[in-house]
Amino acid sequence: MDREVMDIRSLQRPFKEQYRKDPQSSRITLTAKGGETNTPLTCSVDIGRAIYQAEAHKGVGGSGQAACSGDLLIGALAACAQVTCQLVATAMQVPTRHIEVTVDGDMDLQGTLGISKNVPVGFEAIRVQFHLDAPQATPEQLRALQEKTEQYCVVLQTLLRPPRIETRWSTSD
């Protein structure tokens, strides 16, 4: 697979200069909006640039035809880890032929269905596997790639150090 060679440092230089000059300009807010569909088992998720269909997992009544929220969560982690590793490898000039990230997550659906109060709702374990084909990379390069990828992967760091989450409810008059 031929990969496009990019000068990531040059590409990101103007952003870094801008953010150093005006730290407030680096702050962003991402928004996703869930929307109701014709069944309580499905919804749409609008991220502003695309709309995704989601549904309850097959193990709680979904059809198995669309991603469940757990799929979207581990998919976001896989996407972030993949892109971060590719960017870091390119920026550090680590010679790779192929990078692939696989994310697996374990949960017990008894918690989600309220069958057992002793079973937590949500993932109990998540594993991120990086598969690298980099025969010309040195051990030092691979260690640095791992360190920087894990350090700069936004979704990984968010899951490792969860942010404060606030919920608000409103009703229509």
PDB file of all heavy atoms in Angstrom, residues 10 12 16 24 26-27 31 38 42 49 53 56 58 66 68 81 89 97-98 122 132 137 145 147 151 166 172:
ATOM      1  N   SER A  10       5.205  20.770   8.871  1.00  0.00           N
ATOM      2  CA  SER A  10       4.914  21.992   8.111  1.00  0.00           C
ATOM      3  C   SER A  10       3.413  22.252   8.049  1.00  0.00           C
ATOM      4  O   SER A  10       2.974  23.402   8.127  1.00  0.00           O
ATOM      5  CB  SER A  10       5.471  21.894   6.687  1.00  0.00           C
ATOM      6  OG  SER A  10       6.881  21.893   6.720  1.00  0.00           O
ATOM      7  N   GLN A  12       1.189  21.437  10.267  1.00  0.00           N
ATOM      8  CA  GLN A  12       0.679  21.865  11.569  1.00  0.00           C
ATOM      9  C   GLN A  12       1.352  23.134  12.103  1.00  0.00           C
ATOM     10  O   GLN A  12       0.840  23.740  13.042  1.00  0.00           O
ATOM     11  CB  GLN A  12       0.830  20.732  12.584  1.00  0.00           C
ATOM     12  CG  GLN A  12      -0.075  19.562  12.277  1.00  0.00           C
ATOM     13  CD  GLN A  12       0.061  18.427  13.263  1.00  0.00           C
ATOM     14  OE1 GLN A  12       1.052  18.323  13.997  1.00  0.00           O
ATOM     15  NE2 GLN A  12      -0.934  17.546  13.288  1.00  0.00           N
ATOM     16  N   LYS A  16       0.142  25.662  15.247  1.00  0.00           N
ATOM     17  CA  LYS A  16       0.914  25.769  16.483  1.00  0.00           C
ATOM     18  C   LYS A  16       1.320  27.216  16.743  1.00  0.00           C
ATOM     19  O   LYS A  16       1.248  27.696  17.875  1.00  0.00           O
ATOM     20  CB  LYS A  16       2.146  24.866  16.425  1.00  0.00           C
ATOM     21  CG  LYS A  16       1.811  23.387  16.514  1.00  0.00           C
ATOM     22  CD  LYS A  16       3.072  22.537  16.483  1.00  0.00           C
ATOM     23  CE  LYS A  16       2.750  21.069  16.642  1.00  0.00           C
ATOM     24  NZ  LYS A  16       3.959  20.252  16.742  1.00  0.00           N
ATOM     25  N   GLN A  24      -6.246  31.138  23.388  1.00  0.00           N
ATOM     26  CA  GLN A  24      -7.704  30.984  23.389  1.00  0.00           C
ATOM     27  C   GLN A  24      -8.207  30.444  22.051  1.00  0.00           C
ATOM     28  O   GLN A  24      -9.231  29.770  21.993  1.00  0.00           O
ATOM     29  CB  GLN A  24      -8.369  32.329  23.714  1.00  0.00           C
ATOM     30  CG  GLN A  24      -9.805  32.221  24.113  1.00  0.00           C
ATOM     31  CD  GLN A  24     -10.028  31.378  25.367  1.00  0.00           C
ATOM     32  OE1 GLN A  24      -9.192  31.264  26.247  1.00  0.00           O
ATOM     33  NE2 GLN A  24     -11.200  30.765  25.435  1.00  0.00           N
ATOM     34  N   SER A  26      -7.119  28.071  20.371  1.00  0.00           N
ATOM     35  CA  SER A  26      -6.990  26.611  20.263  1.00  0.00           C
ATOM     36  C   SER A  26      -8.164  25.877  20.890  1.00  0.00           C
ATOM     37  O   SER A  26      -8.299  24.674  20.723  1.00  0.00           O
ATOM     38  CB  SER A  26      -5.693  26.143  20.924  1.00  0.00           C
ATOM     39  OG  SER A  26      -5.778  26.305  22.335  1.00  0.00           O
ATOM     40  N   ARG A  27      -9.031  26.590  21.569  1.00  0.00           N
ATOM     41  CA  ARG A  27     -10.146  25.960  22.261  1.00  0.00           C
ATOM     42  C   ARG A  27     -11.297  25.730  21.282  1.00  0.00           C
ATOM     43  O   ARG A  27     -11.694  26.641  20.568  1.00  0.00           O
ATOM     44  CB  ARG A  27     -10.591  26.807  23.440  1.00  0.00           C
ATOM     45  CG  ARG A  27      -9.416  27.018  24.430  1.00  0.00           C
ATOM     46  CD  ARG A  27      -9.821  27.621  25.727  1.00  0.00           C
ATOM     47  NE  ARG A  27     -10.816  26.870  26.444  1.00  0.00           N
ATOM     48  CZ  ARG A  27     -10.605  25.752  27.142  1.00  0.00           C
ATOM     49  NH1 ARG A  27      -9.401  25.243  27.203  1.00  0.00           N
ATOM     50  NH2 ARG A  27     -11.583  25.166  27.788  1.00  0.00           N
ATOM     51  N   THR A  31     -19.765  19.035  18.923  1.00  0.00           N
ATOM     52  CA  THR A  31     -21.148  18.779  19.291  1.00  0.00           C
ATOM     53  C   THR A  31     -21.695  17.607  18.494  1.00  0.00           C
ATOM     54  O   THR A  31     -21.451  17.510  17.291  1.00  0.00           O
ATOM     55  CB  THR A  31     -22.014  20.027  19.017  1.00  0.00           C
ATOM     56  OG1 THR A  31     -21.494  21.129  19.769  1.00  0.00           O
ATOM     57  CG2 THR A  31     -23.463  19.799  19.407  1.00  0.00           C
ATOM     58  N   ASN A  38     -38.353   6.404  14.216  1.00  0.00           N
ATOM     59  CA  ASN A  38     -39.689   5.835  14.378  1.00  0.00           C
ATOM     60  C   ASN A  38     -39.776   4.667  15.354  1.00  0.00           C
ATOM     61  O   ASN A  38     -40.839   4.116  15.554  1.00  0.00           O
ATOM     62  CB  ASN A  38     -40.263   5.422  13.013  1.00  0.00           C
ATOM     63  CG  ASN A  38     -39.415   4.360  12.337  1.00  0.00           C
ATOM     64  OD1 ASN A  38     -38.328   4.032  12.804  1.00  0.00           O
ATOM     65  ND2 ASN A  38     -39.902   3.827  11.232  1.00  0.00           N
ATOM     66  N   THR A  42     -33.784   2.806  17.866  1.00  0.00           N
ATOM     67  CA  THR A  42     -32.834   3.434  16.949  1.00  0.00           C
ATOM     68  C   THR A  42     -32.826   4.947  17.119  1.00  0.00           C
ATOM     69  O   THR A  42     -33.752   5.531  17.687  1.00  0.00           O
ATOM     70  CB  THR A  42     -33.179   3.119  15.471  1.00  0.00           C
ATOM     71  OG1 THR A  42     -34.419   3.741  15.140  1.00  0.00           O
ATOM     72  CG2 THR A  42     -33.236   1.623  15.216  1.00  0.00           C
ATOM     73  N   ARG A  49     -21.121  17.258  10.354  1.00  0.00           N
ATOM     74  CA  ARG A  49     -20.518  16.976   9.049  1.00  0.00           C
ATOM     75  C   ARG A  49     -21.040  15.681   8.458  1.00  0.00           C
ATOM     76  O   ARG A  49     -20.820  15.390   7.302  1.00  0.00           O
ATOM     77  CB  ARG A  49     -18.993  16.912   9.173  1.00  0.00           C
ATOM     78  CG  ARG A  49     -18.388  18.251   9.559  1.00  0.00           C
ATOM     79  CD  ARG A  49     -16.928  18.168   9.943  1.00  0.00           C
ATOM     80  NE  ARG A  49     -16.600  17.276  11.045  1.00  0.00           N
ATOM     81  CZ  ARG A  49     -16.851  17.511  12.333  1.00  0.00           C
ATOM     82  NH1 ARG A  49     -17.465  18.595  12.692  1.00  0.00           N
ATOM     83  NH2 ARG A  49     -16.483  16.667  13.262  1.00  0.00           N
ATOM     84  N   GLN A  53     -26.504   6.465  11.717  1.00  0.00           N
ATOM     85  CA  GLN A  53     -27.617   5.738  12.306  1.00  0.00           C
ATOM     86  C   GLN A  53     -27.054   4.851  13.419  1.00  0.00           C
ATOM     87  O   GLN A  53     -26.009   4.242  13.260  1.00  0.00           O
ATOM     88  CB  GLN A  53     -28.320   4.889  11.245  1.00  0.00           C
ATOM     89  CG  GLN A  53     -28.924   5.711  10.117  1.00  0.00           C
ATOM     90  CD  GLN A  53     -29.848   6.809  10.608  1.00  0.00           C
ATOM     91  OE1 GLN A  53     -30.751   6.569  11.399  1.00  0.00           O
ATOM     92  NE2 GLN A  53     -29.620   8.033  10.156  1.00  0.00           N
ATOM     93  N   ALA A  56     -29.921   0.205  19.456  1.00  0.00           N
ATOM     94  CA  ALA A  56     -29.601  -0.627  20.609  1.00  0.00           C
ATOM     95  C   ALA A  56     -28.879  -1.884  20.118  1.00  0.00           C
ATOM     96  O   ALA A  56     -29.118  -2.353  19.004  1.00  0.00           O
ATOM     97  CB  ALA A  56     -30.884  -1.010  21.346  1.00  0.00           C
ATOM     98  N   LYS A  58     -27.919  -5.722  19.594  1.00  0.00           N
ATOM     99  CA  LYS A  58     -28.770  -6.894  19.342  1.00  0.00           C
ATOM    100  C   LYS A  58     -29.096  -7.630  20.649  1.00  0.00           C
ATOM    101  O   LYS A  58     -30.186  -8.179  20.809  1.00  0.00           O
ATOM    102  CB  LYS A  58     -28.066  -7.828  18.351  1.00  0.00           C
ATOM    103  CG  LYS A  58     -28.948  -8.899  17.793  1.00  0.00           C
ATOM    104  CD  LYS A  58     -28.240  -9.663  16.697  1.00  0.00           C
ATOM    105  CE  LYS A  58     -29.181 -10.698  16.112  1.00  0.00           C
ATOM    106  NZ  LYS A  58     -28.590 -11.386  14.985  1.00  0.00           N
ATOM    107  N   ALA A  66     -27.217  -1.825  12.621  1.00  0.00           N
ATOM    108  CA  ALA A  66     -26.507  -0.541  12.756  1.00  0.00           C
ATOM    109  C   ALA A  66     -25.600  -0.598  13.982  1.00  0.00           C
ATOM    110  O   ALA A  66     -25.729  -1.486  14.830  1.00  0.00           O
ATOM    111  CB  ALA A  66     -27.511   0.614  12.882  1.00  0.00           C
ATOM    112  N   CYS A  68     -24.165   0.134  17.566  1.00  0.00           N
ATOM    113  CA  CYS A  68     -24.703   0.528  18.864  1.00  0.00           C
ATOM    114  C   CYS A  68     -23.768   1.570  19.464  1.00  0.00           C
ATOM    115  O   CYS A  68     -22.681   1.823  18.947  1.00  0.00           O
ATOM    116  CB  CYS A  68     -24.864  -0.687  19.783  1.00  0.00           C
ATOM    117  SG  CYS A  68     -23.326  -1.355  20.453  1.00  0.00           S
ATOM    118  N   ALA A  81      -6.839   6.500  17.731  1.00  0.00           N
ATOM    119  CA  ALA A  81      -5.545   5.837  17.888  1.00  0.00           C
ATOM    120  C   ALA A  81      -4.878   5.623  16.531  1.00  0.00           C
ATOM    121  O   ALA A  81      -3.666   5.821  16.384  1.00  0.00           O
ATOM    122  CB  ALA A  81      -5.726   4.506  18.611  1.00  0.00           C
ATOM    123  N   ALA A  89       3.908   8.806  13.526  1.00  0.00           N
ATOM    124  CA  ALA A  89       4.915   8.082  12.741  1.00  0.00           C
ATOM    125  C   ALA A  89       5.428   8.944  11.599  1.00  0.00           C
ATOM    126  O   ALA A  89       6.636   8.993  11.336  1.00  0.00           O
ATOM    127  CB  ALA A  89       4.326   6.777  12.195  1.00  0.00           C
ATOM    128  N   ARG A  97       5.389   0.424   7.121  1.00  0.00           N
ATOM    129  CA  ARG A  97       4.720   0.004   5.888  1.00  0.00           C
ATOM    130  C   ARG A  97       3.219  -0.051   6.089  1.00  0.00           C
ATOM    131  O   ARG A  97       2.455   0.173   5.164  1.00  0.00           O
ATOM    132  CB  ARG A  97       5.234  -1.369   5.442  1.00  0.00           C
ATOM    133  CG  ARG A  97       6.672  -1.325   4.955  1.00  0.00           C
ATOM    134  CD  ARG A  97       7.071  -2.572   4.229  1.00  0.00           C
ATOM    135  NE  ARG A  97       7.027  -3.758   5.074  1.00  0.00           N
ATOM    136  CZ  ARG A  97       7.807  -4.811   4.928  1.00  0.00           C
ATOM    137  NH1 ARG A  97       8.702  -4.844   3.956  1.00  0.00           N
ATOM    138  NH2 ARG A  97       7.709  -5.839   5.740  1.00  0.00           N
ATOM    139  N   HIS A  98       2.811  -0.371   7.324  1.00  0.00           N
ATOM    140  CA  HIS A  98       1.379  -0.505   7.591  1.00  0.00           C
ATOM    141  C   HIS A  98       1.130  -0.350   9.087  1.00  0.00           C
ATOM    142  O   HIS A  98       1.886  -0.864   9.909  1.00  0.00           O
ATOM    143  CB  HIS A  98       0.886  -1.873   7.119  1.00  0.00           C
ATOM    144  CG  HIS A  98      -0.586  -2.056   7.223  1.00  0.00           C
ATOM    145  ND1 HIS A  98      -1.482  -1.440   6.386  1.00  0.00           N
ATOM    146  CD2 HIS A  98      -1.335  -2.792   8.093  1.00  0.00           C
ATOM    147  CE1 HIS A  98      -2.709  -1.793   6.722  1.00  0.00           C
ATOM    148  NE2 HIS A  98      -2.649  -2.611   7.746  1.00  0.00           N
ATOM    149  N   GLY A 122     -21.994  -0.556  31.301  1.00  0.00           N
ATOM    150  CA  GLY A 122     -20.855  -0.025  30.556  1.00  0.00           C
ATOM    151  C   GLY A 122     -19.738  -1.034  30.411  1.00  0.00           C
ATOM    152  O   GLY A 122     -19.828  -2.181  30.853  1.00  0.00           O
ATOM    153  N   LEU A 132       1.812  -3.083  13.885  1.00  0.00           N
ATOM    154  CA  LEU A 132       2.748  -2.301  13.069  1.00  0.00           C
ATOM    155  C   LEU A 132       3.561  -3.207  12.162  1.00  0.00           C
ATOM    156  O   LEU A 132       4.079  -4.234  12.610  1.00  0.00           O
ATOM    157  CB  LEU A 132       3.723  -1.518  13.958  1.00  0.00           C
ATOM    158  CG  LEU A 132       3.127  -0.514  14.930  1.00  0.00           C
ATOM    159  CD1 LEU A 132       4.223   0.056  15.818  1.00  0.00           C
ATOM    160  CD2 LEU A 132       2.407   0.584  14.195  1.00  0.00           C
ATOM    161  N   ALA A 137      12.219   0.171  11.346  1.00  0.00           N
ATOM    162  CA  ALA A 137      12.206   1.066  12.505  1.00  0.00           C
ATOM    163  C   ALA A 137      13.074   0.492  13.614  1.00  0.00           C
ATOM    164  O   ALA A 137      13.103  -0.717  13.837  1.00  0.00           O
ATOM    165  CB  ALA A 137      10.786   1.260  12.999  1.00  0.00           C
ATOM    166  N   LEU A 145       7.345   6.133  19.290  1.00  0.00           N
ATOM    167  CA  LEU A 145       6.065   6.134  18.594  1.00  0.00           C
ATOM    168  C   LEU A 145       4.946   5.723  19.551  1.00  0.00           C
ATOM    169  O   LEU A 145       3.883   6.356  19.597  1.00  0.00           O
ATOM    170  CB  LEU A 145       6.110   5.196  17.386  1.00  0.00           C
ATOM    171  CG  LEU A 145       4.815   5.031  16.595  1.00  0.00           C
ATOM    172  CD1 LEU A 145       4.335   6.359  16.029  1.00  0.00           C
ATOM    173  CD2 LEU A 145       5.025   4.010  15.475  1.00  0.00           C
ATOM    174  N   GLU A 147       4.967   5.884  22.890  1.00  0.00           N
ATOM    175  CA  GLU A 147       4.823   6.907  23.926  1.00  0.00           C
ATOM    176  C   GLU A 147       4.038   8.122  23.412  1.00  0.00           C
ATOM    177  O   GLU A 147       3.092   8.576  24.049  1.00  0.00           O
ATOM    178  CB  GLU A 147       6.212   7.338  24.408  1.00  0.00           C
ATOM    179  CG  GLU A 147       6.184   8.453  25.428  1.00  0.00           C
ATOM    180  CD  GLU A 147       7.588   8.942  25.765  1.00  0.00           C
ATOM    181  OE1 GLU A 147       8.490   8.097  25.939  1.00  0.00           O
ATOM    182  OE2 GLU A 147       7.767  10.165  25.835  1.00  0.00           O
ATOM    183  N   GLN A 151       0.253   9.372  24.289  1.00  0.00           N
ATOM    184  CA  GLN A 151       0.195  10.696  24.910  1.00  0.00           C
ATOM    185  C   GLN A 151      -0.769  11.628  24.184  1.00  0.00           C
ATOM    186  O   GLN A 151      -1.475  12.414  24.808  1.00  0.00           O
ATOM    187  CB  GLN A 151       1.599  11.312  24.923  1.00  0.00           C
ATOM    188  CG  GLN A 151       1.655  12.710  25.488  1.00  0.00           C
ATOM    189  CD  GLN A 151       3.064  13.290  25.429  1.00  0.00           C
ATOM    190  OE1 GLN A 151       4.022  12.617  25.069  1.00  0.00           O
ATOM    191  NE2 GLN A 151       3.192  14.551  25.773  1.00  0.00           N
ATOM    192  N   GLU A 166     -21.567  16.894  32.804  1.00  0.00           N
ATOM    193  CA  GLU A 166     -22.743  17.544  33.358  1.00  0.00           C
ATOM    194  C   GLU A 166     -23.946  17.159  32.500  1.00  0.00           C
ATOM    195  O   GLU A 166     -23.854  17.171  31.271  1.00  0.00           O
ATOM    196  CB  GLU A 166     -22.508  19.063  33.287  1.00  0.00           C
ATOM    197  CG  GLU A 166     -23.667  19.920  33.603  1.00  0.00           C
ATOM    198  CD  GLU A 166     -23.355  21.388  33.331  1.00  0.00           C
ATOM    199  OE1 GLU A 166     -22.205  21.808  33.521  1.00  0.00           O
ATOM    200  OE2 GLU A 166     -24.282  22.093  32.896  1.00  0.00           O
ATOM    201  N   SER A 172     -40.333  21.037  26.925  1.00  0.00           N
ATOM    202  CA  SER A 172     -41.060  22.028  26.123  1.00  0.00           C
ATOM    203  C   SER A 172     -42.289  22.466  26.882  1.00  0.00           C
ATOM    204  O   SER A 172     -42.893  21.687  27.609  1.00  0.00           O
ATOM    205  CB  SER A 172     -41.484  21.429  24.784  1.00  0.00           C
ATOM    206  OG  SER A 172     -40.345  21.021  24.077  1.00  0.00           O
TER     207      SER A 172
END
